[in-house]
């Protein structure tokens, strides 16, 4: 399953704080959906689908004009 870390979000253009906050919110949403493995402070990535639900686009295919 493809994953996104905060480093990927920073490359897209988010600030460090925003990127970490997106990952935190996505992890909380995944835990609420029943994926208990994301209830871990040290886990620094989420599924691409979880990130897309928050930011609205796939950060892996972002192209800067």
């Amino acid at each position: 399953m493809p994953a996104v870390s905060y480093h990927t979000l920073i490359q897209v253009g988010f600030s460090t704080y925003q990127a970490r906050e997106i990952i935190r919110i996505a992890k909380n949403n995944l835990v609420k959906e029943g994926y208990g493995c994301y209830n871990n402070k040290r886990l620094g990535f989420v599924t691409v689908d979880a990130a897309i639900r928050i930011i609205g686009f796939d950060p892996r295919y972002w192209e800067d004009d």
Side-chain angles (χ1 to χ4, degrees):
M1 181 173 290
V4 174
S5 70
Y6 81 97
H7 296 289
T8 306
L9 296 173
I10 290 172
Q11 290 175 347
V12 170
F14 290 101
S15 70
T16 303
Y17 173 78
Q18 289 171 327
R20 289 183 186 264
E21 191 70 10
I22 290 167
I23 297 296
R24 186 187 66 77
I25 292 168
K27 284 173 55 177
N28 286 338
N29 289 344
L30 287 167
V31 169
K32 288 177 187 175
E33 292 173 12
Y35 298 101
C37 60
Y38 287 98
N39 194 11
N40 182 345
K41 270 194 226 184
R42 294 183 178 191
L43 190 66
F45 60 88
V46 294
T47 62
V48 173
D49 293 336
I52 290 171
R53 281 183 261 158
I54 294 171
I55 61 176
F57 61 90
D58 191 340
R60 298 174 301 163
Y61 301 113
W62 180 262
E63 292 186 19
D64 195 17
D65 292 337

